[in-house]
Amino acid sequence: MQQVFHAKVSYGLLLLVVLSVLTCIAPLLTEAWEDWFWVLLVFTLLLEAFILHLFLFTRYTIVGDSLQVRSGWIRYPAIPIAQITLVKPTKSILSAPAPSFKRLAVCYNRYDELIVSPKQAQAFVAALQAINPNIKSEI
């Protein structure tokens, strides 16, 4: 059985990331760089498309007894649900497959954690707890 949970997207965070990339490239569009305009434009558009792809195609899939995370083309190592001990809200700003400000830390093993942001957080935790009832939730 497979359950897919799509990531919640904070459009404010997406706007912040897109504008920061555009702001960094803007000074290069002066007369000194006019010969490079098309190269910079193509590079910026490709970078923005990659970021948008990561934001819109992040999902968390429960397959059998493991949690698989995919963000765009990036696949994270599967986490055995039996090793998950705690799911709690976090305000961490670390880079993670969580394109939202409303994030959850999935704690597993002794010191490992993965930060996620499923749209349906309660259903996500319930699905994990259905496989491993020992998972504690602080949601």
Side-chain angles (χ1 to χ4, degrees):
M1 188 171 115
Q2 177 174 314
Q3 289 181 287
V4 178
F5 297 90
H6 294 279
K8 179 181 178 85
V9 176
S10 289
Y11 292 102
L13 180 60
L14 178 61
L15 183 64
L16 177 70
V17 172
V18 168
L19 288 178
S20 64
V21 171
L22 292 176
T23 303
C24 291
I25 208 100
L28 300 177
L29 300 178
T30 61
E31 284 184 34
W33 292 90
E34 66 186 19
D35 294 338
W36 291 91
F37 175 78
W38 291 108
V39 173
L40 293 171
L41 180 64
V42 168
F43 174 77
T44 303
L45 292 175
L46 288 174
L47 184 59
E48 297 292 351
F50 177 70
I51 291 169
L52 187 63
H53 182 76
L54 290 178
F55 267 71
L56 298 179
F57 295 99
T58 297
R59 62 183 179 269
Y60 318 107
T61 307
I62 296 173
V63 179
D65 61 350
S66 68
L67 173 63
Q68 298 177 357
V69 178
R70 188 170 183 177
S71 183
W73 298 290
I74 301 169
R75 291 183 188 195
Y76 291 79
I79 300 170
I81 295 173
Q83 294 178 4
I84 297 174
T85 56
L86 174 67
V87 179
K88 63 181 180 179
T90 184
K91 294 187 181 201
S92 173
I93 59 170
L94 293 176
S95 178
S100 174
F101 289 120
K102 293 187 177 186
R103 296 171 155 206
L104 300 175
V106 176
C107 304
Y108 61 101
N109 292 336
R110 189 170 186 159
Y111 301 109
D112 297 324
E113 76 177 18
L114 178 68
I115 299 171
V116 297
S117 62
K119 278 183 188 176
Q120 302 163 328
Q122 295 287 348
F124 175 74
V125 173
L128 293 175
Q129 288 175 328
I131 296 168
N132 178 1
N134 296 324
I135 296 173
K136 294 178 185 166
S137 173
E138 295 180 3
I139 298 177

